[in-house]
Amino acid sequence: NNTKVSGSEIEVRVNHARLAQYGIEVGEVLAVLQAARLGVEATRIVRQKEDIAVLVKMDTDGLSDLDSITKLPLMTAGGETVLLERLADVKIGHTAAAITRLNGQREITLIAEVEGAIPAVVSRLREKFKVVQPPEGYSIDFTGQYEVLLKVALDMLVAVAAAMILVYFIMAMQFGSWFQPLIILITIPLSLAGALVALFVTHHGLDVSVGMGAVTLVGMAVNNAIVLIDYANRRTAAGSAIREAVLEAASVRLRPILLTTFTTISALLPVAIGTTVGSRIFQPFAVTVIGGLASGVLATLIIVPTLMTSLPGSGRRAQ
């Protein structure tokens, strides 16, 4: 049943003892109600090859209120007339406006406002419902936005993985090395970790906007590392030792890396804070990118140079 919107219905509960007293069948009560409300098909005629039903309806002005329904007359077995109010209780009740089905099965939809991440709420509800034993033929399931969120999360995970693979092969062709792109790709999980921390601090749940921010980070997180390693490669090609080349690259590229990171974060801050029109929609996206860039720049300036100088073969361009 659809519990989102309730509807009104007229309930007629017959008194079987009274019906037996007057010699009236339940079907007769139903026939009178049908004749008064909808009409009874008396015959069918054919007009211009069209089969038309002829309805006979009582003159009750549409039964606009309960009083007009309770005053409906019924004929007793003795030929007398008795009003419906003496044979049944008539009242207005509330019920579901429509019967809905999901995957061919009738469903009851419960609506509730969710605070926090939907997966966390569903996890807590699953624990609560473990002690609930529904009647035979009934089951409890979580669908709606939760089901859509799981599908979107899976799609985003595939998109991030595909983006990382594509970025890796592009960098491998550009650097002529299969090892250096791996060092650069390390900045991606570190950036995603920073994004998750930022979402946790700002109390944002996972949604489509966060997924878009994660995919964006895959491209943005590697930019600074690419610039740094490219500069170090040019210095080693000129004859510098790998350690000196990496230190010089980190020193020379420090200011551009910080400037590009801070300008991007500054541009996203109004959206993250929520001072612009429609910013609530894009807040998770902005928070994700800001948190990812903040941790990504630390990974670029600390983790990447460390790996370049400590791992064997990281400074050689494999042909």
Side-chain angles (χ1 to χ4, degrees):
N1 296 333
N2 191 339
T3 59
K4 300 176 184 177
V5 180
S6 61
S8 300
E9 66 176 5
I10 300 173
E11 297 180 2
V12 179
R13 298 185 179 274
V14 297
N15 187 320
H16 294 277
R18 291 287 182 87
L19 290 180
Q21 178 182 350
Y22 288 101
I24 299 176
E25 300 289 339
V26 176
E28 297 179 45
V29 178
L30 177 61
V32 170
L33 290 172
Q34 183 178 3
R37 188 72 177 174
L38 303 174
V40 178
E41 182 178 332
T43 185
R44 304 184 73 88
I45 61 175
V46 178
R47 178 182 295 177
Q48 297 179 355
K49 299 181 180 181
E50 183 179 358
D51 190 15
I52 300 175
V54 178
L55 299 179
V56 177
K57 187 176 181 181
M58 298 176 61
D59 185 15
T60 55
D61 296 329
L63 301 178
S64 58
D65 52 30
L66 285 180
D67 185 63
S68 61
I69 297 175
T70 58
K71 300 302 181 184
L72 289 175
L74 287 95
M75 189 68 65
T76 66
E80 301 176 354
T81 300
V82 61
L83 300 181
L84 180 62
E85 64 182 355
R86 302 187 62 182
L87 304 174
D89 295 327
V90 183
K91 62 180 181 179
I92 294 180
H94 298 280
T95 184
I99 296 177
T100 58
R101 287 177 170 82
L102 180 65
N103 298 327
Q105 295 181 337
R106 290 180 61 171
E107 65 166 353
I108 297 177
T109 303
L110 302 179
I111 305 299
E113 293 292 336
V114 176
E115 293 184 0
I118 294 179
V121 174
V122 172
S123 178
R124 293 196 298 268
L125 287 176
R126 289 190 189 277
E127 292 295 326
K128 298 293 184 181
F129 279 119
K130 283 183 178 179
V131 298
V132 177
Q133 297 295 331
E136 184 178 355
Y138 289 81
S139 61
I140 300 173
D141 196 9
F142 297 91
T143 58
Q145 292 186 7
Y146 172 69
E147 189 175 32
V148 173
L149 181 61
L150 291 182
K151 185 178 183 303
V152 170
L154 179 60
D155 293 341
M156 286 297 178
L157 183 62
V158 173
V160 170
M164 292 178 62
I165 294 174
L166 183 61
V167 168
Y168 172 78
F169 282 110
I170 292 176
M171 290 189 298
M173 290 185 294
Q174 178 66 30
F175 288 119
S177 170
W178 295 102
F179 190 77
Q180 287 185 350
L182 292 177
I183 297 177
I184 297 176
L185 289 180
I186 290 177
T187 60
I188 295 178
L190 295 176
S191 298
L192 294 177
L196 292 176
V197 172
L199 291 171
F200 176 78
V201 171
T202 56
H203 303 288
H204 284 291
L206 300 178
D207 55 17
V208 178
S209 184
V210 173
M212 294 174 58
V215 175
T216 304
L217 272 179
V218 173
M220 299 180 66
V222 301
N223 289 339
N224 294 330
I226 290 175
V227 173
L228 190 147
I229 291 182
D230 181 68
Y231 188 92
N233 285 340
R234 284 190 280 122
R235 296 309 303 162
T236 54
S240 299
I242 181 60
R243 182 180 180 84
E244 286 73 14
V246 171
L247 290 176
E248 184 178 354
S251 176
V252 172
R253 303 307 304 175
L254 174 63
R255 182 177 298 177
I257 289 175
L258 293 179
L259 285 176
T260 54
T261 302
F262 289 155
T263 52
T264 305
I265 292 177
S266 300
L268 292 173
L269 272 179
V271 181
I273 296 174
T275 60
T276 58
V277 177
S279 60
R280 291 185 63 86
I281 301 176
F282 298 101
Q283 268 186 346
F285 173 86
V287 171
T288 301
V289 175
I290 290 175
L293 288 179
S295 61
V297 69
L298 296 177
T300 301
L301 297 175
I302 299 176
I303 305 299
V304 172
T306 302
L307 294 177
M308 285 283 292
T309 56
S310 60
L311 295 180
S314 59
R316 297 195 299 269
R317 294 164 58 90
Q319 302 297 328

